[in-house]
C-alpha cells in the first residue's frame, strides 16, 4: 500500500480559500486562481489534486466546477472533487470531463441507497467523504450533524463497494493541531479499505505519523493550510510520500 499526498484547493467565489473548522465566517483567501494554484502544485510534483467546491457544499449544487474541469483537462495530474455533488448528472459531468474521482459526502447520509447505486455504476471513481464531529457524521458543509456514526456508515458503504474513504475530523480541520491519526487508522482497519486523512496536518512529522499506518489502509493525506502557511512545501511532503 502506498501513501499519497493530496494538496488541497478549497474554492469559494472563484478564489482559493481556507476555513477554520468549516466556518464560512472564518475565511482566509490564499489565491485568486484555483487553476494557477493547482498548476503550481503539479509543478512541484503532485500527482493528485484535491479540490472542494465550498459554495457547492453550502448551496447543494455545482458552483466552481469550471475550475475543477480546467485543472483536470490541462494539468498532468489526477483530480478529485467534493462539494455540491447531489445528482448523477453532477457525477457524470465531472467524470465525463476528465475528473478522476468524485467525493460524495452529505448525500451518503441523506440518500445512502442512491449512492450505493452510483457505486455499482462508477465503482472506484466514487469516494465517500466522512466528515465527523465527535465521531458522528456532519453534512451540508458541516452545518448539520447527523446521528450516524462515521465508522458504521463506512462499513455499510465498504460492503456496498466503496474502495476509498476520505475522513475529516472537523475539530482538527484548519487548526494545524495535528490529524486524528488513531480515528483515521481505525476506520481503515474496520473497513479494510483505503482511507485518506484530512484535517489538522501541520508538519512533516504529522505526515510520517499517518504514513506509518499505510499497511493498515491509511493511504494518504490531504494538506491544505499547512502548505498555504509555509509549514512545508508540496515538494517536501512528496519526499515523505516516497519514504
Amino acid at each position: 500500500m502506498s501513501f499519497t499526498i493530496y494538496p488541497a484547493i478549497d474554492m469559494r467565489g472563484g478564489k482559493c480559500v481556507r476555513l477554520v473548522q468549516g466556518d464560512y465566517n472564518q475565511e482566509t483567501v490564499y489565491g485568486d486562481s484555483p487553476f494557477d494554484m493547482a498548476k503550481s502544485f503539479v509543478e512541484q510534483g503532485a500527482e493528485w489534486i484535491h479540490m472542494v467546491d465550498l459554495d457547492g457544499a453550502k448551496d447543494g449544487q455545482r458552483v466552481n466546477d469550471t475550475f475543477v474541469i480546467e485543472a483536470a483537462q490541462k494539468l498532468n495530474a489526477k483530480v478529485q472533487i467534493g462539494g455540491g455533488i447531489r445528482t448523477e448528472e453532477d457525477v457524470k459531468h465531472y467524470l465525463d470531463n476528465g475528473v478522476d474521482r468524485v467525493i460524495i459526502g452529505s448525500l451518503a447520509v441523506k440518500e445512502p441507497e442512491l449512492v450505493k447505486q452510483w457505486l455499482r455504476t462508477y465503482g472506484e471513481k466514487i469516494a465517500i467523504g466522512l466528515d465527523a464531529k465527535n465521531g458522528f457524521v456532519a453534512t451540508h458543509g458541516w452545518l448539520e450533524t447527523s446521528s450516524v456514526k462515521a465508522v458504521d456508515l463506512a462499513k455499510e458503504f465498504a460492503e456496498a463497494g466503496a474502495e476509498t474513504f476520505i475522513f475529516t475530523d472537523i475539530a482538527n480541520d484548519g487548526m494545524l493541531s495535528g490529524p486524528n491519526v488513531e480515528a483515521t487508522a481505525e476506520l481503515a482497519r474496520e473497513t479494510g479499505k483505503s482511507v485518506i486523512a484530512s484535517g489538522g496536518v501541520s508538519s512533516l512529522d504529522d505526515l510520517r505519523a499517518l504514513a506509518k499506518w499505510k499497511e493498515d489502509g491509511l493511504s494518504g493525506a490531504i494538506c491544505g493550510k499547512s502548505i498555504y502557511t509555509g509549514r512545508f512545501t508540496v515538494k517536501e511532503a512528496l519526499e515523505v510520500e516516497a519514504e
Side-chain angles (χ1 to χ4, degrees):
M1 174 74 74
S2 60
F3 188 79
T4 302
I5 300 298
Y6 296 80
I9 298 174
D10 290 3
M11 300 168 292
R12 190 175 182 206
K15 298 181 185 296
C16 305
V17 307
R18 296 300 293 171
L19 307 181
V20 175
Q21 294 180 316
D23 186 346
Y24 284 73
N25 295 315
Q26 295 190 65
E27 174 189 274
T28 304
V29 177
Y30 286 104
D32 291 331
S33 168
F35 176 78
D36 288 347
M37 190 68 75
K39 186 168 181 278
S40 73
F41 292 159
V42 175
E43 286 171 349
Q44 290 181 68
E47 294 181 358
W48 274 94
I49 304 293
H50 173 81
M51 303 183 83
V52 179
D53 183 351
L54 290 172
D55 295 308
K58 197 172 184 181
D59 298 348
Q61 61 185 8
R62 301 188 310 263
V63 178
N64 292 287
D65 52 319
T66 54
F67 305 111
V68 182
I69 290 166
E70 183 182 16
Q73 292 182 346
K74 294 183 179 178
L75 298 175
N76 186 26
K78 295 177 179 178
V79 173
Q80 64 182 21
I81 173 66
I85 299 165
R86 297 286 191 272
T87 68
E88 187 166 6
E89 183 193 344
D90 293 330
V91 175
K92 283 178 62 63
H93 175 71
Y94 282 122
L95 297 181
D96 289 349
N97 283 288
V99 174
D100 290 273
R101 188 187 286 154
V102 296
I103 303 159
I104 307 298
S106 301
L107 212 62
V109 178
K110 300 293 184 183
E111 296 190 52
E113 294 311 313
L114 177 64
V115 177
K116 289 174 188 175
Q117 186 179 315
W118 294 351
L119 282 166
R120 288 191 289 273
T121 304
Y122 302 102
E124 62 186 24
K125 295 283 187 180
I126 301 267
I128 304 298
L130 299 172
D131 303 331
K133 191 177 271 187
N134 301 319
F136 291 91
V137 177
T139 63
H140 296 91
W142 298 350
L143 301 175
E144 300 174 22
T145 304
S146 73
S147 59
V148 180
K149 281 193 171 180
V151 69
D152 292 339
L153 191 66
K155 284 181 177 177
E156 184 181 330
F157 278 104
E159 287 175 12
E163 293 295 333
T164 304
F165 294 89
I166 295 168
F167 179 71
T168 307
D169 186 330
I170 295 172
N172 295 350
D173 189 71
M175 299 298 289
L176 296 173
S177 58
N180 192 333
V181 179
E182 287 179 18
T184 312
E186 181 193 4
L187 199 71
R189 287 193 298 271
E190 290 281 345
T191 59
K193 302 296 182 182
S194 169
V195 177
I196 300 166
S198 174
V201 170
S202 65
S203 67
L204 295 175
D205 282 342
D206 285 340
L207 293 178
R208 292 186 183 100
L210 290 165
K212 282 180 184 174
W213 298 97
K214 65 184 179 183
E215 299 305 325
D216 286 46
L218 207 168
S219 63
I222 292 166
C223 304
K225 194 170 184 179
S226 50
I227 292 170
Y228 292 108
T229 56
R231 296 293 183 102
F232 53 79
T233 65
V234 171
K235 187 171 180 292
E236 288 170 332
L238 294 171
E239 287 167 3
V240 173
E241 174 185 288
E243 286 175 4

